[in-house]
Amino acid sequence: MQYILALDQGTTSSRAIILTKEGHIVGIAQKELQQIFPNPGWVEHNACEIWSSQASVMTGALAMAHLKMRDIAAIGITNQRETTIVWDRKTSHPIHNAIVWQDRRTRTFCQSLKQEGYEPLFQKKTGLLLDPYFSGTKLRWILDNVPNAREKAERGELAFGTVDSWLLWQLTDGRYHITDATNASRTLLYNIHTHEWDNELLEILKIPRSLLPEVRDSSEVYAECSSTVCSSSTPIAGIAGDQQAALFGHSCFKKGMGKATYGTGCFILMNTGPKPAPVKNHLLTTIAYKIGNKTHYALEGSVFIGGAVVQWLRDNLGIIKHSRDIETLAKQSMNSNGVTFVPAFTGLGAPYWDPNTRGTIFGLTRGTQNSHIAYAALESIAFQVADVLDLMHELTPITQLRVDGGAVENNLLMQIQADYSNIPLVRPKWKEMTALGACFLAGLAVGFWKDLDEIQKLWKKEHEFFPSINDVKRKEAKNKWDKAVHWAKMWGNS
């Protein structure tokens, strides 16, 4: 058994990769996931499609590598995090579509909790803010709005899980209801200091404890894959939310090391060591990973719309045919010609946490071309990430940022990011950092790799981007961005 299999279930697609001990990917498969938008600000997935697509790519990766499940030493799982699924324990059938992390339907409820003075309590215990982003209020919505859901939950007939729990349930034919500490720490229900579901928070949100999965370490053998699913009893041995998995994949094992993942959203995490960082400046404190009952924490800033703005230009505005075309289009002008794009399609994440803000484009003239809008879209991604990095830098100096995700292949975006952040960006040779993190966690649990030092030696740099503009230009650009965000927030909250 010379290989590790990672299941990487993301917001827009499901992927699987197969990795060797030397860090070579020998099999990979990917399948897009349908996005469902029932109402403005609502985002859902079909939970059954999540599982079927993940099972399909698992088979596809094995076929590409000419392997069978008996060749796999262990399976790791990484997943879109706060996305919420509730299913019937007997039938394993979801009682509602999965409510995706981007969904904003509970913003009024979150606001009412804030008005009642609960946010400091949630922040102290969970490291999170009261925002629709997180799972707890999504779960409350399902219990309150799906017929008979609350009654069934109180009878112990239903199970709640983030996507990792749902996949593990399916892989084991419903024998195990488990999550790991990283995913639990994103629910608004888990106390990151006591490492248990918090009864006081459950009472406030009216969540029956019987719904919740068992919380385990990020690297340990949880169960064996059912032979009816995997054709062999392969151990499932690693679980982490996608952003924590990417941090682990980047070998950010020491305090002060950080990464930015450019996916549907952009997620910036910095390892803060064995103690949680003080919560301030609207950044989040979360669990980075938990191994051998030892916990490392991270400081996090979450940008809701990153690569999704490129998808919007492709699917809604129609100015590019493929997402990769945005770099070529933006290079036609190499500037925004005064256009500023605030892509707040689902509100603003860190550091603003304003669910009411909506997407806006400022500075349009008769001379505005598609290339200017494309360039402004790339700038919008870089500005949002820079906002988070500036706040993190106040707590711990950042000398280098490791980057991953589909958008890091866009050299123009990476250069713009280095310019506006004033920090060197390092792109690794590996492209699948999230899945690699899941591989490493699973491999550690079964002795495939002996320790973190062995994993760290596998990480290799491909390219480094250095800042190329002066402080005056940087300040001018960011001042214009700050004004645009201010006006977008005024529009959304008017």
Side-chain angles (χ1 to χ4, degrees):
M1 295 183 289
Q2 299 300 312
Y3 306 92
I4 300 289
L5 168 67
L7 306 182
D8 180 2
Q9 205 299 299
T11 310
T12 57
S13 68
S14 295
R15 276 183 287 186
I17 73 163
I18 299 173
L19 196 70
T20 68
K21 187 178 178 65
E22 296 73 31
H24 301 305
I25 296 175
V26 296
I28 186 168
Q30 180 171 344
K31 189 172 185 178
E32 284 201 15
L33 196 65
Q34 181 188 9
Q35 308 298 302
I36 303 168
F37 307 105
N39 290 300
W42 293 26
V43 189
E44 296 179 355
H45 290 158
N46 182 321
C48 293
E49 185 191 358
I50 288 176
W51 164 238
S52 64
S53 63
Q54 194 65 76
S56 173
V57 295
M58 178 171 66
T59 302
L62 287 166
M64 179 182 176
H66 301 288
L67 298 173
K68 297 186 182 298
M69 280 302 301
R70 64 173 176 264
D71 300 313
I72 303 299
I75 298 171
I77 297 173
T78 183
N79 56 285
Q80 51 168 315
R81 294 178 299 177
E82 299 79 7
T83 296
T84 299
I85 306 171
V86 177
W87 63 92
D88 188 289
R89 290 182 180 273
K90 289 184 179 179
T91 65
S92 296
H93 190 77
I95 67 168
H96 190 272
N97 277 340
I99 301 181
V100 178
W101 58 271
Q102 296 169 312
D103 190 280
R104 312 305 286 168
R105 74 186 66 188
T106 65
R107 63 182 182 180
T108 301
F109 179 51
C110 288
Q111 189 61 40
S112 68
L113 290 172
K114 289 180 183 181
Q115 291 172 352
E116 292 174 42
Y118 284 121
E119 185 161 69
L121 177 67
F122 278 89
Q123 196 170 19
K124 179 181 178 181
K125 291 189 173 191
T126 71
L128 310 177
L129 300 168
L130 281 171
D131 189 86
Y133 178 28
F134 305 108
S135 309
T137 60
K138 293 175 168 63
L139 174 55
R140 167 67 180 266
W141 187 94
I142 290 174
L143 294 179
D144 287 347
N145 289 276
V146 176
N148 302 316
R150 182 166 293 282
E151 292 81 359
K152 289 181 179 180
E154 290 173 351
R155 293 197 298 265
E157 297 174 7
L158 301 181
F160 151 75
T162 42
V163 171
D164 58 306
S165 296
W166 172 242
L167 293 179
L168 190 136
W169 179 276
Q170 296 293 339
L171 287 165
T172 62
D173 279 335
R175 290 181 291 119
Y176 293 91
H177 187 206
I178 290 171
T179 191
D180 90 299
T182 68
N183 280 290
S185 73
R186 311 299 296 182
T187 61
L188 282 174
L189 308 173
Y190 187 72
N191 190 315
I192 63 173
H193 309 286
T194 63
H195 301 287
E196 60 185 4
W197 299 116
D198 192 282
N199 288 328
E200 185 177 13
L201 303 183
L202 292 174
E203 178 63 27
I204 292 170
L205 292 179
K206 295 182 171 54
I207 306 295
R209 196 183 182 96
S210 62
L211 278 165
L212 306 178
E214 179 186 358
V215 182
R216 304 274 283 272
D217 283 6
S218 306
S219 178
E220 65 170 286
V221 176
Y222 314 105
E224 291 184 341
C225 185
S226 170
S227 58
T228 60
V229 178
C230 297
S231 73
S232 70
S233 300
T234 306
I236 304 166
I239 298 175
D242 51 9
Q243 304 313 316
Q244 287 93 332
L247 187 75
F248 201 84
H250 274 293
S251 297
C252 293
F253 303 141
K254 296 179 181 178
K255 181 179 179 180
M257 296 184 72
K259 70 88 193 176
T261 296
Y262 294 78
T264 304
C266 296
F267 301 90
I268 306 93
L269 268 72
M270 182 174 65
N271 190 328
T272 59
K275 293 183 179 180
V279 179
K280 61 182 296 187
N281 293 333
H282 286 128
L283 297 177
L284 307 176
T285 292
T286 196
I287 293 177
Y289 53 87
K290 189 166 181 273
I291 300 176
N293 289 317
K294 293 182 178 179
T295 303
H296 270 245
Y297 294 88
L299 199 62
E300 176 173 339
S302 305
V303 172
F304 294 155
I305 299 296
V309 70
V310 180
Q311 293 174 327
W312 184 82
L313 294 180
R314 180 194 68 189
D315 300 337
N316 296 60
L317 209 58
I319 66 173
I320 53 175
K321 189 173 183 180
H322 305 286
S323 294
R324 63 180 179 271
D325 297 338
I326 190 170
E327 183 174 13
T328 301
L329 179 59
K331 281 184 174 179
Q332 291 178 12
S333 62
M334 286 302 290
N335 66 76
S336 67
N337 195 29
V339 174
T340 302
F341 194 162
V342 182
F345 302 139
T346 56
L348 288 171
Y352 305 100
W353 293 107
D354 188 335
N356 299 317
T357 305
R358 286 293 174 263
T360 49
I361 302 177
F362 297 100
L364 296 174
T365 68
R366 287 287 298 272
T368 300
Q369 304 293 324
N370 287 345
S371 60
H372 300 134
I373 294 173
Y375 195 93
L378 295 181
E379 282 188 314
S380 76
I381 299 172
F383 279 131
Q384 291 178 95
V385 173
D387 284 343
V388 173
L389 290 171
D390 287 347
L391 295 178
M392 285 187 175
H393 195 72
E394 292 178 10
L395 296 173
T396 302
I398 305 171
T399 57
Q400 182 194 86
L401 188 71
R402 296 182 173 185
V403 297
D404 67 278
V408 301
E409 294 306 302
N410 187 320
N411 290 326
L412 177 58
L413 171 61
M414 292 297 97
Q415 187 57 58
I416 294 171
Q417 185 68 75
D419 288 342
Y420 291 161
S421 303
N422 200 24
I423 298 172
L425 269 60
V426 181
R427 184 171 64 198
K429 288 187 176 181
W430 282 323
K431 308 306 177 192
E432 304 290 339
M433 299 309 300
T434 301
L436 285 164
C439 283
F440 293 151
L441 289 165
L444 278 174
V446 297
F448 195 80
W449 295 284
K450 63 180 180 179
D451 55 30
L452 298 182
D453 288 339
E454 185 176 1
I455 290 172
Q456 192 167 12
K457 291 175 183 176
L458 298 175
W459 194 92
K460 296 290 187 297
K461 177 177 72 174
E462 179 193 86
H463 190 77
E464 192 163 2
F465 298 85
F466 295 94
S468 64
I469 62 174
N470 60 39
D471 289 341
V472 173
K473 288 185 177 180
R474 185 178 300 111
K475 186 175 182 179
E476 287 176 354
K478 294 187 79 171
N479 283 342
K480 188 172 71 169
W481 165 255
D482 289 341
K483 288 180 181 178
V485 170
H486 173 73
W487 290 329
K489 289 176 68 177
M490 287 182 63
W491 173 268
N493 290 279
S494 60

